[in-house]
Amino acid sequence: MVHNQQAAALDNLFTEQRSFPPPPGFAEQANVTAEAYQRADDDRDAFWAEQANRLDWQTPFSQVLDWSDAPHAKWFADGKLNASVNCVDRHVDAGHGDQVAIHWEGEPGDSRTITYAELKDEVSKAANAFTELGLKAGDRVAIYLPMIPEAIVSMLACARLGLTHSVVFGGFSSEALRSRIADAEAKLVITADGQFRRGKAMPLKRAVDEAVAGDDSPVENVLVVRRTGIDADFGDKDIWWHELVQRQSAEHTPEFFDAEHPLFILYTSGTTGKPKGILHTTGGYLTQVAYTHDAVFDHKAGQDVYWCTADIGWVTGHSYIVYGPLANRATQVVYEGTPNSPHEGRHWEIVDKYKVSIYYTAPTTIRTFMKWGKDIPARYQLDSLRVLGSVGEPINPEAWMWYRENIGRGRCPIVDTWWQTETGGIMISPLPGVTDTKPGSAMRPLPGISAAIVGDDGQPVGNGGGGYLVLDKPWPAMLRTIWGDDERFRDTYWSRFAEQGYYFAGDGAKYDDDGAIWLLGRVDDVMNVSGHRISTTEVESALVSHPSVAEAAVVGATDETTGQGIVAFVILRGEAAAAAKEGDDDAAAAHITELRNHVAKEIGPIAKPRQIMVVAELPKTRSGKIMRRLLRDVAEQRPVGDVTTLADSTVMDQISSGLTSGG
Ligand code: 6R9
């Protein structure tokens, strides 16, 4: 067992001492070396101009950054380019048309291989089709598709025409789709008849029918890809993709757009109910995602096989499946389904099949793999892997070590990448050939990026100190505004530290004694217990360092005496899970006491959870984030709030009905 008590005791954010240098040999061949930090600091504009020149510009830019209208940045403003040409045509023109762009793997086991030349044809046909539908540069298009090649083709065809896409995750409800369509006034929706999920064909177009119903819908057409063969009702607005797109010419002459031309809107949840439409533009965004994909993953065009497991409905899919990798001429795997369809080794089977060398996933997925057991990856070779990435939430040291040992086999650097929908691209991350990584730390801002940790007063804290993460200098892929609500843009991100002019990220963070950055979760998730600031992440990390805990979510619940009390929800594994299933109450109570004491031992008595509840599942969004708001409702014994953005909306019922609580 790796989970002996001693190793587990090390797995706490504040006692973490381990550090792993880049493997021998990796540093020598790395795309980026340590000098880049200094070079970028010495002349930021020159550094970013150099990165922008990774791209093909039809009209070169003369100015790098215009920050005179802060917080509205303009990057490379007088340059003109086409994002789709940069992701596709230029690779074909350079003689790489036969290189595989996408190894697509469908959930039921079907697959497609698409070369850059084929991708160019598909994108051109789709662009001709959208033009036939009357769409013009600046119009908005909603994309509501499963993880099929047409999703990527649609995004690139929009970019090619200067249409602004708004991808809506295929698991969102018709209501969520309707409000996003309305907010962006989308004229076209691209969808599929259905999608495969955990081995089953589920309808998808039906949700679109509901979302576009009524005379007030801005939607003029719905373009439908046939994926599952499931029945779809066709009305006046509806057109089959295979009928419209396939008959188009594969020739399309692109136009070029200003660097600040809107590329996409992506909705993300904020602290209030209404989602924010984060607006990204073309030149700066493409520059940063191409640069970071190259630097952080050490990507080598024509050699690596890259796989990012995100969904394109999430910003990670936009930046690190579509724009970054394709701008860098990656050969990548795109997988349609869930990691356990049809079996729990599916990801590792795919890694071996395509010889994946760079694998990028989320901590929640890693912890799921841990729950399934290390015997599963042990059955596969996994010897093609050379870089592993993590994104989406803080990764607890135990998951980091498990990933390193059981997937990377102790051989692959792990890059823990901190960024947001709003930042557009990776901001804080190790460089795999440079950084000595620490399990659970995103380490430091990338060359060209600047961040700080500040206190309530906006003053920087020193090493060993904690506070709010801010971005103190503009960056190329930064959001330009919230679509249709510039005031909210200013309020949400720029008012908290207006005096200093800092971007407020909404995350808590601390520097360790060496100046490495440890993200502590959203500041709204930082608890205050008797005047002590304790991160939900710290307590979760302590809980999952216990051998019997598979996953944990922690919330601060209002407490009369201490301000907030810590309430934990845990999924058990192994013997403890079996005992809980059998309903052995004495054993369960003893076990909960043990867990509370374990947290006290790991962090201190102040962090001891007031209550620990054993659950079978945790409420998660489709991008894998735990919805603590709902757990707080349970902890504070309120009716549970809006569950429409959960991946599985029945989870809260299961939690409320099946609680084994103690403490
Ligand atoms: C890319 C993405 C952004 C929020 C962010 C933070 C959390 C993301 C993280 C991380 C710690 C990391 N987050 N990556 N926290 N370490 N490596 O996830 O975008 O969905 O907008 O979420 O996710 O809290 O503020 P998005």
mmCIF file with all atom_site columns, all heavy atoms in Angstrom, residues 268 314-316 391-394 416-422 505 507 519 522 625, ligand 1:
data_model
loop_
_atom_site.group_PDB
_atom_site.id
_atom_site.type_symbol
_atom_site.label_atom_id
_atom_site.label_alt_id
_atom_site.label_comp_id
_atom_site.label_asym_id
_atom_site.label_entity_id
_atom_site.label_seq_id
_atom_site.pdbx_PDB_ins_code
_atom_site.Cartn_x
_atom_site.Cartn_y
_atom_site.Cartn_z
_atom_site.occupancy
_atom_site.B_iso_or_equiv
_atom_site.pdbx_formal_charge
_atom_site.auth_seq_id
_atom_site.auth_comp_id
_atom_site.auth_asym_id
_atom_site.auth_atom_id
_atom_site.pdbx_PDB_model_num
ATOM   1   N N   . THR A 1 268 ? -19.616 31.779 -18.041 1.00 0.00 ? 268 THR A N   1
ATOM   2   C CA  . THR A 1 268 ? -19.112 31.138 -16.830 1.00 0.00 ? 268 THR A CA  1
ATOM   3   C C   . THR A 1 268 ? -19.908 31.665 -15.647 1.00 0.00 ? 268 THR A C   1
ATOM   4   O O   . THR A 1 268 ? -20.428 32.778 -15.697 1.00 0.00 ? 268 THR A O   1
ATOM   5   C CB  . THR A 1 268 ? -17.589 31.391 -16.666 1.00 0.00 ? 268 THR A CB  1
ATOM   6   O OG1 . THR A 1 268 ? -17.131 30.710 -15.509 1.00 0.00 ? 268 THR A OG1 1
ATOM   7   C CG2 . THR A 1 268 ? -17.270 32.862 -16.525 1.00 0.00 ? 268 THR A CG2 1
ATOM   8   N N   . TRP A 1 314 ? -15.964 23.983 -22.292 1.00 0.00 ? 314 TRP A N   1
ATOM   9   C CA  . TRP A 1 314 ? -15.243 24.567 -21.177 1.00 0.00 ? 314 TRP A CA  1
ATOM   10  C C   . TRP A 1 314 ? -14.061 25.323 -21.762 1.00 0.00 ? 314 TRP A C   1
ATOM   11  O O   . TRP A 1 314 ? -13.599 25.019 -22.860 1.00 0.00 ? 314 TRP A O   1
ATOM   12  C CB  . TRP A 1 314 ? -14.784 23.398 -20.302 1.00 0.00 ? 314 TRP A CB  1
ATOM   13  C CG  . TRP A 1 314 ? -14.209 23.691 -18.977 1.00 0.00 ? 314 TRP A CG  1
ATOM   14  C CD1 . TRP A 1 314 ? -14.511 24.730 -18.146 1.00 0.00 ? 314 TRP A CD1 1
ATOM   15  C CD2 . TRP A 1 314 ? -13.228 22.899 -18.313 1.00 0.00 ? 314 TRP A CD2 1
ATOM   16  N NE1 . TRP A 1 314 ? -13.767 24.620 -16.996 1.00 0.00 ? 314 TRP A NE1 1
ATOM   17  C CE2 . TRP A 1 314 ? -12.983 23.520 -17.076 1.00 0.00 ? 314 TRP A CE2 1
ATOM   18  C CE3 . TRP A 1 314 ? -12.533 21.735 -18.629 1.00 0.00 ? 314 TRP A CE3 1
ATOM   19  C CZ2 . TRP A 1 314 ? -12.074 23.011 -16.153 1.00 0.00 ? 314 TRP A CZ2 1
ATOM   20  C CZ3 . TRP A 1 314 ? -11.632 21.223 -17.709 1.00 0.00 ? 314 TRP A CZ3 1
ATOM   21  C CH2 . TRP A 1 314 ? -11.406 21.853 -16.476 1.00 0.00 ? 314 TRP A CH2 1
ATOM   22  N N   . VAL A 1 315 ? -13.537 26.321 -21.070 1.00 0.00 ? 315 VAL A N   1
ATOM   23  C CA  . VAL A 1 315 ? -12.459 27.130 -21.657 1.00 0.00 ? 315 VAL A CA  1
ATOM   24  C C   . VAL A 1 315 ? -11.221 26.284 -21.961 1.00 0.00 ? 315 VAL A C   1
ATOM   25  O O   . VAL A 1 315 ? -10.498 26.539 -22.925 1.00 0.00 ? 315 VAL A O   1
ATOM   26  C CB  . VAL A 1 315 ? -12.097 28.345 -20.769 1.00 0.00 ? 315 VAL A CB  1
ATOM   27  C CG1 . VAL A 1 315 ? -11.322 27.930 -19.514 1.00 0.00 ? 315 VAL A CG1 1
ATOM   28  C CG2 . VAL A 1 315 ? -11.320 29.375 -21.566 1.00 0.00 ? 315 VAL A CG2 1
ATOM   29  N N   . THR A 1 316 ? -10.982 25.255 -21.166 1.00 0.00 ? 316 THR A N   1
ATOM   30  C CA  . THR A 1 316 ? -9.818  24.404 -21.424 1.00 0.00 ? 316 THR A CA  1
ATOM   31  C C   . THR A 1 316 ? -9.920  23.767 -22.810 1.00 0.00 ? 316 THR A C   1
ATOM   32  O O   . THR A 1 316 ? -8.927  23.630 -23.518 1.00 0.00 ? 316 THR A O   1
ATOM   33  C CB  . THR A 1 316 ? -9.686  23.338 -20.325 1.00 0.00 ? 316 THR A CB  1
ATOM   34  O OG1 . THR A 1 316 ? -9.620  24.018 -19.074 1.00 0.00 ? 316 THR A OG1 1
ATOM   35  C CG2 . THR A 1 316 ? -8.423  22.511 -20.496 1.00 0.00 ? 316 THR A CG2 1
ATOM   36  N N   . VAL A 1 391 ? -5.445  20.781 -14.356 1.00 0.00 ? 391 VAL A N   1
ATOM   37  C CA  . VAL A 1 391 ? -6.125  22.075 -14.416 1.00 0.00 ? 391 VAL A CA  1
ATOM   38  C C   . VAL A 1 391 ? -7.527  21.993 -13.831 1.00 0.00 ? 391 VAL A C   1
ATOM   39  O O   . VAL A 1 391 ? -8.156  20.952 -13.881 1.00 0.00 ? 391 VAL A O   1
ATOM   40  C CB  . VAL A 1 391 ? -6.251  22.591 -15.872 1.00 0.00 ? 391 VAL A CB  1
ATOM   41  C CG1 . VAL A 1 391 ? -7.060  21.643 -16.749 1.00 0.00 ? 391 VAL A CG1 1
ATOM   42  C CG2 . VAL A 1 391 ? -6.876  23.988 -15.924 1.00 0.00 ? 391 VAL A CG2 1
ATOM   43  N N   . GLY A 1 392 ? -7.995  23.105 -13.287 1.00 0.00 ? 392 GLY A N   1
ATOM   44  C CA  . GLY A 1 392 ? -9.400  23.230 -12.908 1.00 0.00 ? 392 GLY A CA  1
ATOM   45  C C   . GLY A 1 392 ? -9.630  23.497 -11.440 1.00 0.00 ? 392 GLY A C   1
ATOM   46  O O   . GLY A 1 392 ? -10.617 24.112 -11.071 1.00 0.00 ? 392 GLY A O   1
ATOM   47  N N   . GLU A 1 393 ? -8.765  23.017 -10.612 1.00 0.00 ? 393 GLU A N   1
ATOM   48  C CA  . GLU A 1 393 ? -8.907  23.231 -9.174  1.00 0.00 ? 393 GLU A CA  1
ATOM   49  C C   . GLU A 1 393 ? -7.549  22.902 -8.553  1.00 0.00 ? 393 GLU A C   1
ATOM   50  O O   . GLU A 1 393 ? -6.691  22.309 -9.215  1.00 0.00 ? 393 GLU A O   1
ATOM   51  C CB  . GLU A 1 393 ? -10.001 22.324 -8.603  1.00 0.00 ? 393 GLU A CB  1
ATOM   52  C CG  . GLU A 1 393 ? -9.763  20.876 -8.918  1.00 0.00 ? 393 GLU A CG  1
ATOM   53  C CD  . GLU A 1 393 ? -10.778 19.936 -8.286  1.00 0.00 ? 393 GLU A CD  1
ATOM   54  O OE1 . GLU A 1 393 ? -11.114 20.138 -7.111  1.00 0.00 ? 393 GLU A OE1 1
ATOM   55  O OE2 . GLU A 1 393 ? -11.183 18.984 -8.954  1.00 0.00 ? 393 GLU A OE2 1
ATOM   56  N N   . PRO A 1 394 ? -7.359  23.284 -7.298  1.00 0.00 ? 394 PRO A N   1
ATOM   57  C CA  . PRO A 1 394 ? -6.098  22.926 -6.670  1.00 0.00 ? 394 PRO A CA  1
ATOM   58  C C   . PRO A 1 394 ? -5.977  21.404 -6.640  1.00 0.00 ? 394 PRO A C   1
ATOM   59  O O   . PRO A 1 394 ? -6.962  20.706 -6.401  1.00 0.00 ? 394 PRO A O   1
ATOM   60  C CB  . PRO A 1 394 ? -6.239  23.487 -5.247  1.00 0.00 ? 394 PRO A CB  1
ATOM   61  C CG  . PRO A 1 394 ? -7.331  24.505 -5.313  1.00 0.00 ? 394 PRO A CG  1
ATOM   62  C CD  . PRO A 1 394 ? -8.259  24.029 -6.390  1.00 0.00 ? 394 PRO A CD  1
ATOM   63  N N   . ASP A 1 416 ? 1.054   21.759 -13.097 1.00 0.00 ? 416 ASP A N   1
ATOM   64  C CA  . ASP A 1 416 ? -0.219  22.153 -12.473 1.00 0.00 ? 416 ASP A CA  1
ATOM   65  C C   . ASP A 1 416 ? -0.487  23.579 -12.933 1.00 0.00 ? 416 ASP A C   1
ATOM   66  O O   . ASP A 1 416 ? 0.210   24.511 -12.528 1.00 0.00 ? 416 ASP A O   1
ATOM   67  C CB  . ASP A 1 416 ? -0.069  22.052 -10.951 1.00 0.00 ? 416 ASP A CB  1
ATOM   68  C CG  . ASP A 1 416 ? -1.280  22.586 -10.203 1.00 0.00 ? 416 ASP A CG  1
ATOM   69  O OD1 . ASP A 1 416 ? -2.311  22.888 -10.837 1.00 0.00 ? 416 ASP A OD1 1
ATOM   70  O OD2 . ASP A 1 416 ? -1.183  22.707 -8.958  1.00 0.00 ? 416 ASP A OD2 1
ATOM   71  N N   . THR A 1 417 ? -1.472  23.743 -13.792 1.00 0.00 ? 417 THR A N   1
ATOM   72  C CA  . THR A 1 417 ? -1.659  25.008 -14.508 1.00 0.00 ? 417 THR A CA  1
ATOM   73  C C   . THR A 1 417 ? -2.823  25.802 -13.933 1.00 0.00 ? 417 THR A C   1
ATOM   74  O O   . THR A 1 417 ? -3.970  25.380 -14.024 1.00 0.00 ? 417 THR A O   1
ATOM   75  C CB  . THR A 1 417 ? -1.932  24.730 -15.999 1.00 0.00 ? 417 THR A CB  1
ATOM   76  O OG1 . THR A 1 417 ? -3.151  23.969 -16.128 1.00 0.00 ? 417 THR A OG1 1
ATOM   77  C CG2 . THR A 1 417 ? -0.788  23.937 -16.634 1.00 0.00 ? 417 THR A CG2 1
ATOM   78  N N   . TRP A 1 418 ? -2.539  26.950 -13.374 1.00 0.00 ? 418 TRP A N   1
ATOM   79  C CA  . TRP A 1 418 ? -3.611  27.814 -12.872 1.00 0.00 ? 418 TRP A CA  1
ATOM   80  C C   . TRP A 1 418 ? -3.992  28.848 -13.932 1.00 0.00 ? 418 TRP A C   1
ATOM   81  O O   . TRP A 1 418 ? -3.118  29.565 -14.452 1.00 0.00 ? 418 TRP A O   1
ATOM   82  C CB  . TRP A 1 418 ? -3.200  28.571 -11.594 1.00 0.00 ? 418 TRP A CB  1
ATOM   83  C CG  . TRP A 1 418 ? -4.334  29.453 -11.121 1.00 0.00 ? 418 TRP A CG  1
ATOM   84  C CD1 . TRP A 1 418 ? -5.330  29.108 -10.257 1.00 0.00 ? 418 TRP A CD1 1
ATOM   85  C CD2 . TRP A 1 418 ? -4.604  30.805 -11.530 1.00 0.00 ? 418 TRP A CD2 1
ATOM   86  N NE1 . TRP A 1 418 ? -6.207  30.151 -10.110 1.00 0.00 ? 418 TRP A NE1 1
ATOM   87  C CE2 . TRP A 1 418 ? -5.799  31.197 -10.878 1.00 0.00 ? 418 TRP A CE2 1
ATOM   88  C CE3 . TRP A 1 418 ? -3.979  31.706 -12.395 1.00 0.00 ? 418 TRP A CE3 1
ATOM   89  C CZ2 . TRP A 1 418 ? -6.368  32.474 -11.043 1.00 0.00 ? 418 TRP A CZ2 1
ATOM   90  C CZ3 . TRP A 1 418 ? -4.538  32.971 -12.571 1.00 0.00 ? 418 TRP A CZ3 1
ATOM   91  C CH2 . TRP A 1 418 ? -5.725  33.342 -11.888 1.00 0.00 ? 418 TRP A CH2 1
ATOM   92  N N   . TRP A 1 419 ? -5.267  28.934 -14.202 1.00 0.00 ? 419 TRP A N   1
ATOM   93  C CA  . TRP A 1 419 ? -5.807  29.979 -15.079 1.00 0.00 ? 419 TRP A CA  1
ATOM   94  C C   . TRP A 1 419 ? -7.313  29.944 -14.984 1.00 0.00 ? 419 TRP A C   1
ATOM   95  O O   . TRP A 1 419 ? -7.869  29.179 -14.196 1.00 0.00 ? 419 TRP A O   1
ATOM   96  C CB  . TRP A 1 419 ? -5.293  29.822 -16.509 1.00 0.00 ? 419 TRP A CB  1
ATOM   97  C CG  . TRP A 1 419 ? -5.606  28.518 -17.198 1.00 0.00 ? 419 TRP A CG  1
ATOM   98  C CD1 . TRP A 1 419 ? -5.131  27.272 -16.866 1.00 0.00 ? 419 TRP A CD1 1
ATOM   99  C CD2 . TRP A 1 419 ? -6.453  28.326 -18.334 1.00 0.00 ? 419 TRP A CD2 1
ATOM   100 N NE1 . TRP A 1 419 ? -5.627  26.338 -17.725 1.00 0.00 ? 419 TRP A NE1 1
ATOM   101 C CE2 . TRP A 1 419 ? -6.441  26.946 -18.635 1.00 0.00 ? 419 TRP A CE2 1
ATOM   102 C CE3 . TRP A 1 419 ? -7.209  29.184 -19.130 1.00 0.00 ? 419 TRP A CE3 1
ATOM   103 C CZ2 . TRP A 1 419 ? -7.178  26.412 -19.707 1.00 0.00 ? 419 TRP A CZ2 1
ATOM   104 C CZ3 . TRP A 1 419 ? -7.920  28.651 -20.194 1.00 0.00 ? 419 TRP A CZ3 1
ATOM   105 C CH2 . TRP A 1 419 ? -7.903  27.279 -20.470 1.00 0.00 ? 419 TRP A CH2 1
ATOM   106 N N   . GLN A 1 420 ? -7.991  30.796 -15.737 1.00 0.00 ? 420 GLN A N   1
ATOM   107 C CA  . GLN A 1 420 ? -9.449  30.933 -15.655 1.00 0.00 ? 420 GLN A CA  1
ATOM   108 C C   . GLN A 1 420 ? -10.034 31.187 -17.038 1.00 0.00 ? 420 GLN A C   1
ATOM   109 O O   . GLN A 1 420 ? -9.322  31.613 -17.948 1.00 0.00 ? 420 GLN A O   1
ATOM   110 C CB  . GLN A 1 420 ? -9.819  32.156 -14.800 1.00 0.00 ? 420 GLN A CB  1
ATOM   111 C CG  . GLN A 1 420 ? -9.166  32.222 -13.450 1.00 0.00 ? 420 GLN A CG  1
ATOM   112 C CD  . GLN A 1 420 ? -9.538  33.496 -12.709 1.00 0.00 ? 420 GLN A CD  1
ATOM   113 O OE1 . GLN A 1 420 ? -9.212  34.597 -13.156 1.00 0.00 ? 420 GLN A OE1 1
ATOM   114 N NE2 . GLN A 1 420 ? -10.199 33.357 -11.581 1.00 0.00 ? 420 GLN A NE2 1
ATOM   115 N N   . THR A 1 421 ? -11.342 31.027 -17.154 1.00 0.00 ? 421 THR A N   1
ATOM   116 C CA  . THR A 1 421 ? -12.043 31.417 -18.379 1.00 0.00 ? 421 THR A CA  1
ATOM   117 C C   . THR A 1 421 ? -11.644 32.849 -18.735 1.00 0.00 ? 421 THR A C   1
ATOM   118 O O   . THR A 1 421 ? -11.391 33.168 -19.893 1.00 0.00 ? 421 THR A O   1
ATOM   119 C CB  . THR A 1 421 ? -13.574 31.355 -18.155 1.00 0.00 ? 421 THR A CB  1
ATOM   120 O OG1 . THR A 1 421 ? -13.915 30.041 -17.704 1.00 0.00 ? 421 THR A OG1 1
ATOM   121 C CG2 . THR A 1 421 ? -14.335 31.657 -19.440 1.00 0.00 ? 421 THR A CG2 1
ATOM   122 N N   . GLU A 1 422 ? -11.558 33.680 -17.730 1.00 0.00 ? 422 GLU A N   1
ATOM   123 C CA  . GLU A 1 422 ? -11.257 35.098 -17.928 1.00 0.00 ? 422 GLU A CA  1
ATOM   124 C C   . GLU A 1 422 ? -9.824  35.344 -18.401 1.00 0.00 ? 422 GLU A C   1
ATOM   125 O O   . GLU A 1 422 ? -9.578  36.308 -19.121 1.00 0.00 ? 422 GLU A O   1
ATOM   126 C CB  . GLU A 1 422 ? -11.455 35.865 -16.610 1.00 0.00 ? 422 GLU A CB  1
ATOM   127 C CG  . GLU A 1 422 ? -12.900 35.966 -16.131 1.00 0.00 ? 422 GLU A CG  1
ATOM   128 C CD  . GLU A 1 422 ? -13.353 34.783 -15.278 1.00 0.00 ? 422 GLU A CD  1
ATOM   129 O OE1 . GLU A 1 422 ? -12.715 33.700 -15.337 1.00 0.00 ? 422 GLU A OE1 1
ATOM   130 O OE2 . GLU A 1 422 ? -14.351 34.934 -14.555 1.00 0.00 ? 422 GLU A OE2 1
ATOM   131 N N   . ALA A 1 505 ? -8.673  38.014 -9.064  1.00 0.00 ? 505 ALA A N   1
ATOM   132 C CA  . ALA A 1 505 ? -8.979  36.701 -9.645  1.00 0.00 ? 505 ALA A CA  1
ATOM   133 C C   . ALA A 1 505 ? -10.041 35.942 -8.855  1.00 0.00 ? 505 ALA A C   1
ATOM   134 O O   . ALA A 1 505 ? -10.651 35.018 -9.373  1.00 0.00 ? 505 ALA A O   1
ATOM   135 C CB  . ALA A 1 505 ? -7.699  35.868 -9.718  1.00 0.00 ? 505 ALA A CB  1
ATOM   136 N N   . ASP A 1 507 ? -9.372  34.153 -6.218  1.00 0.00 ? 507 ASP A N   1
ATOM   137 C CA  . ASP A 1 507 ? -8.761  32.982 -5.594  1.00 0.00 ? 507 ASP A CA  1
ATOM   138 C C   . ASP A 1 507 ? -7.873  33.415 -4.425  1.00 0.00 ? 507 ASP A C   1
ATOM   139 O O   . ASP A 1 507 ? -7.185  34.432 -4.509  1.00 0.00 ? 507 ASP A O   1
ATOM   140 C CB  . ASP A 1 507 ? -7.865  32.239 -6.595  1.00 0.00 ? 507 ASP A CB  1
ATOM   141 C CG  . ASP A 1 507 ? -8.666  31.323 -7.514  1.00 0.00 ? 507 ASP A CG  1
ATOM   142 O OD1 . ASP A 1 507 ? -9.821  31.659 -7.821  1.00 0.00 ? 507 ASP A OD1 1
ATOM   143 O OD2 . ASP A 1 507 ? -8.129  30.284 -7.919  1.00 0.00 ? 507 ASP A OD2 1
ATOM   144 N N   . LEU A 1 519 ? -2.267  27.686 -4.607  1.00 0.00 ? 519 LEU A N   1
ATOM   145 C CA  . LEU A 1 519 ? -3.645  28.174 -4.719  1.00 0.00 ? 519 LEU A CA  1
ATOM   146 C C   . LEU A 1 519 ? -4.495  27.503 -3.653  1.00 0.00 ? 519 LEU A C   1
ATOM   147 O O   . LEU A 1 519 ? -4.376  26.298 -3.421  1.00 0.00 ? 519 LEU A O   1
ATOM   148 C CB  . LEU A 1 519 ? -4.204  27.847 -6.104  1.00 0.00 ? 519 LEU A CB  1
ATOM   149 C CG  . LEU A 1 519 ? -3.867  28.803 -7.257  1.00 0.00 ? 519 LEU A CG  1
ATOM   150 C CD1 . LEU A 1 519 ? -4.135  30.242 -6.861  1.00 0.00 ? 519 LEU A CD1 1
ATOM   151 C CD2 . LEU A 1 519 ? -2.470  28.636 -7.773  1.00 0.00 ? 519 LEU A CD2 1
ATOM   152 N N   . ARG A 1 522 ? -11.241 29.239 -4.259  1.00 0.00 ? 522 ARG A N   1
ATOM   153 C CA  . ARG A 1 522 ? -11.922 30.512 -4.392  1.00 0.00 ? 522 ARG A CA  1
ATOM   154 C C   . ARG A 1 522 ? -11.991 31.218 -3.046  1.00 0.00 ? 522 ARG A C   1
ATOM   155 O O   . ARG A 1 522 ? -12.139 30.570 -2.020  1.00 0.00 ? 522 ARG A O   1
ATOM   156 C CB  . ARG A 1 522 ? -13.350 30.285 -4.912  1.00 0.00 ? 522 ARG A CB  1
ATOM   157 C CG  . ARG A 1 522 ? -13.408 29.569 -6.239  1.00 0.00 ? 522 ARG A CG  1
ATOM   158 C CD  . ARG A 1 522 ? -12.910 30.398 -7.373  1.00 0.00 ? 522 ARG A CD  1
ATOM   159 N NE  . ARG A 1 522 ? -13.612 31.670 -7.445  1.00 0.00 ? 522 ARG A NE  1
ATOM   160 C CZ  . ARG A 1 522 ? -13.349 32.613 -8.349  1.00 0.00 ? 522 ARG A CZ  1
ATOM   161 N NH1 . ARG A 1 522 ? -12.367 32.436 -9.228  1.00 0.00 ? 522 ARG A NH1 1
ATOM   162 N NH2 . ARG A 1 522 ? -14.031 33.721 -8.383  1.00 0.00 ? 522 ARG A NH2 1
ATOM   163 N N   . LYS A 1 625 ? -16.188 20.771 -11.169 1.00 0.00 ? 625 LYS A N   1
ATOM   164 C CA  . LYS A 1 625 ? -16.027 21.558 -9.946  1.00 0.00 ? 625 LYS A CA  1
ATOM   165 C C   . LYS A 1 625 ? -17.124 21.190 -8.950  1.00 0.00 ? 625 LYS A C   1
ATOM   166 O O   . LYS A 1 625 ? -18.287 21.085 -9.309  1.00 0.00 ? 625 LYS A O   1
ATOM   167 C CB  . LYS A 1 625 ? -16.124 23.048 -10.264 1.00 0.00 ? 625 LYS A CB  1
ATOM   168 C CG  . LYS A 1 625 ? -14.921 23.508 -11.018 1.00 0.00 ? 625 LYS A CG  1
ATOM   169 C CD  . LYS A 1 625 ? -14.819 25.015 -11.016 1.00 0.00 ? 625 LYS A CD  1
ATOM   170 C CE  . LYS A 1 625 ? -13.516 25.413 -11.661 1.00 0.00 ? 625 LYS A CE  1
ATOM   171 N NZ  . LYS A 1 625 ? -13.330 24.833 -13.002 1.00 0.00 ? 625 LYS A NZ  1
HETATM 172 C C1  . 6R9 B 2 .   ? -9.153  26.793 -16.535 1.00 0.00 ? 1   6R9 B C1  1
HETATM 173 C C2  . 6R9 B 2 .   ? -10.332 26.820 -15.626 1.00 0.00 ? 1   6R9 B C2  1
HETATM 174 C C3  . 6R9 B 2 .   ? -11.221 28.989 -12.907 1.00 0.00 ? 1   6R9 B C3  1
HETATM 175 C C4  . 6R9 B 2 .   ? -11.019 28.703 -11.439 1.00 0.00 ? 1   6R9 B C4  1
HETATM 176 C C5  . 6R9 B 2 .   ? -9.892  29.476 -10.813 1.00 0.00 ? 1   6R9 B C5  1
HETATM 177 C C6  . 6R9 B 2 .   ? -9.488  28.560 -9.680  1.00 0.00 ? 1   6R9 B C6  1
HETATM 178 C C7  . 6R9 B 2 .   ? -9.682  27.181 -10.251 1.00 0.00 ? 1   6R9 B C7  1
HETATM 179 C C8  . 6R9 B 2 .   ? -8.205  26.395 -12.133 1.00 0.00 ? 1   6R9 B C8  1
HETATM 180 C C9  . 6R9 B 2 .   ? -6.455  25.713 -11.043 1.00 0.00 ? 1   6R9 B C9  1
HETATM 181 C C10 . 6R9 B 2 .   ? -7.380  26.250 -10.128 1.00 0.00 ? 1   6R9 B C10 1
HETATM 182 C C11 . 6R9 B 2 .   ? -5.930  25.826 -8.393  1.00 0.00 ? 1   6R9 B C11 1
HETATM 183 C C12 . 6R9 B 2 .   ? -5.219  25.204 -10.534 1.00 0.00 ? 1   6R9 B C12 1
HETATM 184 N N1  . 6R9 B 2 .   ? -8.458  26.638 -10.837 1.00 0.00 ? 1   6R9 B N1  1
HETATM 185 N N2  . 6R9 B 2 .   ? -7.002  25.827 -12.278 1.00 0.00 ? 1   6R9 B N2  1
HETATM 186 N N3  . 6R9 B 2 .   ? -7.109  26.304 -8.805  1.00 0.00 ? 1   6R9 B N3  1
HETATM 187 N N4  . 6R9 B 2 .   ? -5.007  25.291 -9.201  1.00 0.00 ? 1   6R9 B N4  1
HETATM 188 N N5  . 6R9 B 2 .   ? -4.292  24.656 -11.325 1.00 0.00 ? 1   6R9 B N5  1
HETATM 189 O O1  . 6R9 B 2 .   ? -10.497 25.949 -14.798 1.00 0.00 ? 1   6R9 B O1  1
HETATM 190 O O2  . 6R9 B 2 .   ? -11.183 27.878 -15.782 1.00 0.00 ? 1   6R9 B O2  1
HETATM 191 O O3  . 6R9 B 2 .   ? -13.509 27.041 -15.228 1.00 0.00 ? 1   6R9 B O3  1
HETATM 192 O O4  . 6R9 B 2 .   ? -12.955 29.526 -15.370 1.00 0.00 ? 1   6R9 B O4  1
HETATM 193 O O5  . 6R9 B 2 .   ? -12.179 28.106 -13.462 1.00 0.00 ? 1   6R9 B O5  1
HETATM 194 O O6  . 6R9 B 2 .   ? -10.677 27.322 -11.265 1.00 0.00 ? 1   6R9 B O6  1
HETATM 195 O O7  . 6R9 B 2 .   ? -10.353 28.723 -8.593  1.00 0.00 ? 1   6R9 B O7  1
HETATM 196 O O8  . 6R9 B 2 .   ? -10.330 30.734 -10.374 1.00 0.00 ? 1   6R9 B O8  1
HETATM 197 P P1  . 6R9 B 2 .   ? -12.539 28.147 -14.996 1.00 0.00 ? 1   6R9 B P1  1
#
